[in-house]
Amino acid sequence: MTPNGYLIFDDETFLDSTVAKMNALRKSGQFCDVRLQVCGHELMAHRAVLACCSPYLFEIFNSDIETHGVSHIAFEDLNPEAVEVLLNYAYTAQLKAERELVKDVYSAAKRFKMERVKQICGDYLLSKVDSQNAISFRNFANSMNDGRLLAKVDAYIQDHLLDISEQEDFLKLPRLKLEVILEDNLTLPSNGKLYSKVLNWVQRSLWENGDQLERLMEEVQTLYYSPDHKLVDGGLVIDGHSEVFGGEDDHLQFVQKKPVRESTQRQLSCSSSGSLSPSNQAANVQKPTTRRDWKYIASEKTTNSNYLCLAVLDGVLSVIFLHGRNSPQTSPMATPCLMKSLSFEAQPEELEEHPLSPMHYARSGLGTAALNGRLIAAGGYNREECLRTVECYNPSEDCWTFMAPMRTPRARFQMAVLMGQLYVIGGSNGHSDELSSGEMYDPHTDEWVQVPELRTNRCNAGVCSLNNKLYVVGGSDPCGQKGLKNCDVFDPVAKTWSNCASLNIRRHQAAVCELDGFMYAIGGAESWNCLNTVERYNPDNNTWTLVAPMNVARRGAAVAKLTNPQNSLFADVCLYAGKLFVVGGFDGSHALRCVEVYDPARNDWRMLGSMISSRSNAGVAMLGETIYVVGGFDGNEFLSTVEVYNPKTDEWNDCTKTPSPLSE
């Protein structure tokens, strides 16, 4: 038909044919102008196609519109297979993923702001919810902050709580065990009102009495339901009663609740006495307190006196077992007051374990160093952005304070101390190519100043001080596809860069450290293949020599050295003097927990106790005789947490012990 003289022809095969051809071009890498680097895998695509499907990528491309050539975007926390599914969808409009991959596709779609895909994946997951997986699905929905998904999973749990309570996931949840004493003429309210009162009691215990949720769960808590319909701490002594709580499987005796302690909430930022710089007086920034979820989900009355509930307590998905029973023969007729323990003051001082204070920001690919007895953590990735912020950890007070921020946001770099000052060199700012810039921090002025730029842009390079000079070792080429052999040295007096001997093997994301006048380049990757090889640099003859390889190939590991301790209390610590510790990293498939130690006298590596958390691209520093590891990426989340290594026990710990407050 040619109405009005126009030729009109609808080619029904054109669109399908063109889409198929474009997808084939993508898979063969032809005409591609964007490279996605996802956990060691490289995926090529066309900028225009991705910009049409992903508002997130559109924003990135639009902010970098002047970029010529191939754009590079890195994702450390997405599944490459899931991203490939989204790319196929972008080119073919067909979403096809195996059941086990749907959660990862959902996560990637959330990152890319592909709401339609997110909804389709969510609906698919909801169709697969059953008694066996309901808890894990709820945990996933909560981690994705998807209110629609959470509401539907919670509705399913309400209808199937007893079946779900028999599953392994349910049995592993934290448990709060309560015994409620009742007057003879009183009965507990209906389930909804009852657990509203329970949640209020837990909140009061945490916020007013200074209790911790974990401590409340350590033993059965005795409560009293007063005639004025309040649920309060029970001060009644239970004599001669040794009942089983909540069913045959718990085998727990009821105990009297300990006297209430004064609130001992610790400050997230502490005073700056003895701090690194004058401005720390003003940088005493407190971490904002956030009220996490308190939510009743579902409950069942299992017998006449036993109740079962699933609830969210201060953000923790928890099981509440509640047993109601009549009071002893004599009971107060009003809300009881707790009796003081007359002998409590005579008790020896107890030590309580508290989690080590986390950084204010989660960070991966950060720079760390020890300076003046403090641990410095700078920059790094925090989800989509690179950071400028710098934090300082005081181990004696277990607190983090802010220092002056860097001039440039950067991640994938290393930091070194040279002549009492901090240096950061190269890295990536998350948007453009690798950086050639460097900065120096002066603790006396609390300022960062520019240092002369590298002659080439460098990311994922090792940085180390040796003989009053700064060395930059290896790194990624401008395209980010392979490691470099190049090594440069900076003279802080002349403020000039020069070449030194090249590595024997190309490496990026290598761990670099000085020990006994030598410099070591440990592991890393040649392209994306992880290395276990190690090289040692001798500044006297300007040569690199291969030494014994590690037991585990790894890139993105952290390294620290333990020097000869002065008057060490532990002989075990002396055994590690003059050795290198290599911590975590990525083996090409998983973030690692394992740790190795290198003995240069024996030229061998041996495995040590593994960390609590898997960590790639974490930071490490030696403070005194203790190794501190901070941040990194565990394969699912960017971390802000801290853990320490005890050479005496060959164990890692994420807690510190402090005297417990005594009730007066």
Side-chain angles (χ1 to χ4, degrees), residues 433-448:
D433 292 335
E434 288 81 356
L435 301 172
S436 60
S437 63
E439 304 179 42
M440 181 202 73
Y441 174 79
D442 187 339
H444 301 293
T445 61
D446 190 33
E447 289 181 345
W448 292 87

Side-chain angles (χ1 to χ4, degrees), residues 44-191:
M44 304 293 291
H46 303 93
R47 186 193 307 239
V49 176
L50 299 189
C52 291
C53 298
S54 166
Y56 171 73
L57 293 176
F58 176 87
E59 293 170 6
I60 291 179
F61 298 149
N62 196 46
S63 65
D64 203 18
I65 198 167
E66 296 181 0
T67 298
H68 302 289
V70 179
S71 294
H72 308 273
I73 307 175
F75 299 97
E76 288 190 339
D77 56 341
L78 299 181
N79 185 330
E81 294 181 30
V83 176
E84 176 66 24
V85 168
L86 293 184
L87 293 184
N88 278 322
Y89 171 80
Y91 281 79
T92 67
Q94 183 183 50
L95 190 66
K96 185 177 181 181
E98 297 179 357
R99 176 173 179 171
E100 294 76 14
L101 197 59
V102 174
K103 286 184 179 179
D104 288 337
V105 174
Y106 179 105
S107 300
K110 182 176 188 293
R111 170 65 66 85
F112 291 167
K113 298 182 180 179
M114 299 170 70
E115 294 298 323
R116 178 61 174 162
V117 175
K118 209 176 78 171
Q119 180 180 349
I120 295 299
C121 290
D123 291 341
Y124 176 88
L125 293 173
L126 288 172
S127 72
K128 302 300 180 183
V129 174
D130 57 32
S131 298
Q132 293 184 339
N133 61 27
I135 295 298
S136 65
F137 273 28
R138 191 191 190 280
N139 290 337
F140 174 78
N142 185 59
S143 68
M144 293 293 106
N145 197 27
D146 189 328
R148 182 184 75 97
L149 213 58
L150 265 178
K152 291 185 178 294
V153 175
D154 285 349
Y156 181 91
I157 291 174
Q158 275 192 327
D159 295 334
H160 302 85
L161 181 60
L162 287 181
D163 291 336
I164 293 170
S165 68
E166 298 174 357
Q167 306 304 318
E168 185 178 2
D169 281 353
F170 189 88
L171 299 176
K172 292 180 180 178
L173 291 174
R175 297 181 174 196
L176 178 64
K177 310 166 195 70
L178 306 175
E179 181 189 39
V180 177
I181 299 174
L182 298 166
E183 294 293 331
D184 291 337
N185 59 343
L186 290 180
T187 59
L188 288 171
S190 60
N191 284 355

Side-chain angles (χ1 to χ4, degrees), residues 422-489:
L422 294 174
Y423 284 80
V424 298
I425 304 294
S428 169
N429 63 13
H431 299 293
S432 62
D433 292 335
E434 288 81 356
L435 301 172
S436 60
S437 63
E439 304 179 42
M440 181 202 73
Y441 174 79
D442 187 339
H444 301 293
T445 61
D446 190 33
E447 289 181 345
W448 292 87
V449 296
Q450 294 288 137
V451 298
E453 291 193 352
L454 289 161
R455 286 170 291 183
T456 58
N457 294 1
R458 196 82 67 89
C459 181
N460 292 317
V463 177
C464 176
S465 62
L466 177 65
N467 295 340
N468 290 328
K469 293 185 179 180
L470 190 74
Y471 288 80
V472 178
V473 178
S476 304
D477 69 346
C479 294
Q481 287 186 308
K482 60 183 179 181
L484 300 173
K485 291 185 176 181
N486 306 33
C487 299
D488 296 319
V489 57

Side-chain angles (χ1 to χ4, degrees), residues 507-556:
R507 355 179 143 246
H508 64 98
Q509 291 194 49
V512 176
C513 190
E514 178 272 336
L515 180 66
D516 296 334
F518 296 95
M519 180 167 57
Y520 291 81
I522 304 164
E526 197 165 4
S527 56
W528 290 106
N529 298 317
C530 295
L531 303 170
N532 68 343
T533 55
V534 181
E535 303 184 43
R536 179 170 62 195
Y537 177 73
N538 185 343
D540 292 337
N541 57 19
N542 190 32
T543 58
W544 288 93
T545 306
L546 288 167
V547 296
M550 292 185 291
N551 295 289
V552 178
R554 55 181 95 203
R555 61 179 171 88

Side-chain angles (χ1 to χ4, degrees), residues 6 24 64 75 96 113 135 155 229 260 346 351 357 373 385 404 447 504 508 515 558 582 591 599 604 652 654 657:
Y6 289 96
D64 203 18
F75 299 97
K96 185 177 181 181
K113 298 182 180 179
I135 295 298
H229 306 291
V260 177
L351 293 180
S357 295
E385 64 175 341
E447 289 181 345
N504 293 290
H508 64 98
L515 180 66
V582 174
D599 184 345
D604 66 6
W652 291 85
D654 58 0
K657 291 185 177 182

